[in-house]
Amino acid sequence: NAGVTQTPKFQVLKTGQSMTLQCAQDMNHEYMSWYRQDPGMGLRLIHYSVGAGITDQGEVPNGYNVSRSTTEDFPLRLLSAAPSQTSVYFCAIRGGKAGYTFGSGTRLTVV
Amino acid sequence: RKEVEQDPGPFNVPEGATVAFNCTYSNSASQSFFWYRQDCRKEPKLLMSVYSSGNEDGRFTAQLNRASQYISLLIRDSKLSDSATYLCVLGAGTASKLTFGTGTRLQVTL
């Protein structure tokens, strides 16, 4: 996927569990972001980062934490998973003529 | 009113047909416009950017009408491989955060 790697691809969590979704890029782009996609809704921005050490909230940040210690990595943490966080999560980077490049996604189910 | 509105479809068309999708948006401050394609259970991929003067890429033509706040995508000579969901996407702000429509599903049949 053009330098954006997301892991895991699938995950099932129990309510209250925590986990970290990983996103790594090898394209040296400053801008990274996390989106969630739910049926009948457009992708919605959770958090984004314009460079190492800088993060900001998007449209739906509640229940999620992020950090950006390096240019390459932008992990998304769920501290206490809830069924409402069942979704498909995409990491995206921005750069060049390709515009935004998305990772292959993580399908998360919270039971 | 949603920031970006699209007809969800599905649009069922025969191979070789011409099909057009429209998308309306409410934020007049939107600065950049895109069409993305998303295959089932896959990530969105950039199909084309949309410019005010209109632009074409092979069988695909995109148009932007800022006054009426809509963008369009025309697909000529549809192929089976064009079957996908087409997302209308807007960018605005210094961080160019994207706003996505819910997508229009296209199914091309024999």
Side-chain angles (χ1 to χ4, degrees):
Chain A
N1 247 4
V4 182
T5 303
Q6 274 187 250
T7 56
K9 292 191 182 301
F10 302 94
Q11 184 70 49
V12 179
L13 288 179
K14 293 183 178 178
T15 297
Q17 285 185 316
S18 63
M19 80 160 295
T20 300
L21 281 64
Q22 302 290 348
C23 177
Q25 56 126 343
D26 60 5
M27 303 175 75
N28 202 34
H29 289 311
E30 295 294 333
Y31 185 95
M32 299 183 74
S33 54
W34 278 100
Y35 287 83
R36 60 177 288 174
Q37 186 174 33
D38 301 293
M41 304 187 75
L43 276 79
R44 292 180 292 168
L45 181 64
I46 304 171
H47 285 283
Y48 67 97
S49 169
V50 297
I54 306 169
T55 63
D56 206 348
Q57 296 182 350
E59 180 185 356
V60 288
N62 293 340
Y64 307 95
N65 279 356
V66 292
S67 60
R68 184 91 179 271
S69 56
T70 66
T71 300
E72 294 77 20
D73 300 295
F74 190 44
L76 179 71
R77 282 183 289 276
L78 284 70
L79 298 179
S80 179
S84 60
Q85 294 179 303
T86 294
S87 188
V88 181
Y89 292 86
F90 291 103
C91 176
I93 64 173
R94 184 188 73 198
K97 293 184 177 181
Y100 283 72
T101 300
F102 288 81
S104 58
T106 296
R107 293 185 175 277
L108 176 66
T109 301
V110 183
V111 297
Chain B
R1 182 185 173 186
K2 289 183 180 177
E3 282 195 65
V4 182
E5 298 212 46
Q6 294 184 253
D7 182 340
F11 284 59
N12 294 299
V13 302
E15 216 176 3
T18 296
V19 62
F21 308 135
N22 287 330
C23 163
T24 58
Y25 63 93
S26 58
N27 184 359
S28 59
S30 299
Q31 298 169 343
S32 51
F33 307 86
F34 310 92
W35 283 102
Y36 275 73
R37 169 193 170 128
Q38 187 172 27
D39 293 294
C40 187
R41 303 178 74 84
K42 298 286 188 180
E43 73 276 16
K45 292 184 178 178
L46 180 65
L47 178 66
M48 58 196 304
S49 301
V50 187
Y51 303 115
S52 296
S53 55
N55 48 299
E56 188 174 304
D57 183 1
R59 298 182 293 109
F60 300 86
T61 300
Q63 296 278 353
L64 166 64
N65 185 318
R66 285 187 184 270
S68 300
Q69 295 185 197
Y70 78 83
I71 68 174
S72 64
L73 177 68
L74 182 77
I75 305 175
R76 292 181 298 278
D77 189 23
S78 298
K79 311 291 185 190
L80 293 174
S81 57
D82 293 333
S83 297
T85 297
Y86 291 83
L87 307 176
C88 174
V89 183
L90 278 58
T94 55
S96 293
K97 288 178 284 187
L98 301 181
T99 301
F100 287 78
T102 55
T104 297
R105 186 165 165 237
L106 171 66
Q107 183 67 49
V108 181
T109 58
L110 289 171

